[in-house]
Amino acid sequence: MTSNVLPFAEFNDVVKEYSRGWLGRDRLRAVDGVSFQIEPGEVVGLLGPNRAGKTTLVKLLLSLCQPTRGRIARFGEASERRQTLARIGYVHENQAFPRYLTPRALLEYYGALALLPEPIVKERVPILLERVGLADRSNEAIATFSKGMIQRLGLAQALLNEPDLLVLDEPSEGLDLLGRQLVRAVLLDQKARGKSALFVSHVLSEVEMLCDRVLVIVAGKLVYLGPLAELCRGVDGSLRSLESALQAFYPTPLSERPS
């Protein structure tokens, strides 16, 4: 990491509350005083049980909702400056693309939305479709695609603007072995190019393989932030699996949790 480069993302004592109940008088605190940074050249894993606040945290990072309190910055600028979103790519676990479009038309459409010059879009689209294994289906309607193929297309869309920060929310959902290897290759390429990623996943083997640091969030609170190796080191200095390490934060065995 380069110390004189600003963090790609920064949360400072961020709180997010939602109104609920009759007339919205009750408050649900989904994120509770969370602080962390994502530095250039690292892959950060975001872990936690269901309903821990992971999705809300991602929405805050992408300005899909606003914090109740605290400060969020992207690339050294306040999150209110939406232009910084042009440097981020995002893969949702359940993509909702227009089913009548073809992969080529979809990527060209998103390239226009991102205000990328048309010649650049025309150059990148076939390269990305080849990279995600959809070159031979580039002119077929998305309606004919499996979930795994749609996930691959979502990855291509997220890479279209060559993002400095890639946010992957359960990107392996529905992917076969080759698809998961593709996700790993993309994350390793991000690191090699001095770029970064926030990786949300329940597949702990992938987190162990790819992440430099991990954030563990439970009931809206950040309960661990640090190197993966440190989390997996027991009090006696011995190494343990990530699943075993997370037992300290999760009240029930991970194997019993729904994915």
Side-chain angles (χ1 to χ4, degrees):
M1 297 178 211
T2 307
S3 59
N4 62 347
V5 178
L6 292 169
F8 283 175
E10 184 174 5
F11 278 53
N12 288 314
D13 197 25
V14 172
V15 172
K16 177 59 180 178
E17 294 180 339
Y18 293 100
S19 300
R20 66 176 183 176
W22 185 247
L23 299 180
R25 291 177 178 174
D26 295 331
R27 306 289 289 177
L28 171 66
R29 182 164 291 190
V31 172
D32 190 359
V34 169
S35 299
F36 69 90
Q37 296 180 349
I38 299 176
E39 303 289 349
E42 67 171 349
V43 176
V44 177
L46 176 58
L47 305 175
N50 294 330
R51 298 180 297 277
K54 302 189 298 297
T55 297
T56 299
L57 190 147
V58 169
K59 287 181 177 179
L60 288 164
L61 175 60
L62 300 175
S63 291
L64 296 175
C65 63
Q66 299 302 315
T68 306
R69 292 198 301 276
R71 177 179 176 273
I72 301 170
R74 292 185 296 262
F75 309 104
E77 300 189 53
S79 60
E80 289 80 6
R81 184 171 170 77
R82 296 297 183 96
Q83 290 89 333
T84 55
L85 290 170
R87 298 176 63 183
I88 295 179
Y90 175 51
V91 177
H92 191 275
E93 63 176 316
N94 292 307
Q95 304 286 354
F97 296 137
R99 293 169 58 82
Y100 61 88
L101 289 178
T102 65
R104 185 181 301 277
L106 180 87
L107 294 184
E108 291 175 352
Y109 170 67
Y110 274 103
L113 286 179
L115 302 180
L116 293 173
E118 185 175 354
I120 291 179
V121 174
K122 293 290 187 182
E123 177 184 354
R124 290 180 185 173
V125 165
I127 295 172
L128 286 170
L129 290 175
E130 181 69 35
R131 185 177 184 184
V132 301
L134 294 176
D136 60 337
R137 309 290 294 272
S138 62
N139 293 313
E140 297 182 19
I142 295 171
T144 66
F145 284 13
S146 67
K147 180 176 176 58
M149 294 169 66
I150 291 174
Q151 285 297 94
R152 288 170 177 262
L153 182 57
L155 188 59
Q157 182 265 314
L159 294 172
L160 187 60
N161 61 333
E162 297 188 344
D164 292 311
L165 175 59
L166 186 60
V167 180
L168 303 180
D169 189 356
E170 298 289 350
S172 298
E173 184 71 24
L175 288 178
D176 58 12
L177 178 59
L178 289 177
R180 292 187 176 190
Q181 290 175 346
L182 170 65
V183 171
R184 294 170 198 159
V186 166
L187 289 173
L188 292 174
D189 183 61
Q190 282 285 110
K191 289 176 60 174
R193 298 169 65 188
K195 301 185 177 187
S196 300
L198 178 65
F199 183 46
V200 186
S201 180
H202 282 103
V203 184
L204 299 185
S205 60
E206 293 184 345
V207 174
E208 288 180 300
M209 185 186 306
L210 296 166
C211 295
D212 304 291
R213 292 191 299 139
V214 292
L215 316 173
V216 182
I217 186 170
V218 177
K221 293 181 177 293
L222 191 60
V223 297
Y224 179 81
L225 166 60
L228 182 61
E230 184 177 319
L231 175 62
C232 293
R233 192 175 303 281
V235 293
D236 60 353
S238 62
L239 291 177
R240 52 187 175 168
S241 69
L242 178 55
E243 180 173 348
S244 297
L246 289 175
Q247 298 282 336
F249 307 114
Y250 290 51
T252 59
L254 292 176
S255 59
E256 295 179 9
R257 293 184 171 276
S259 60

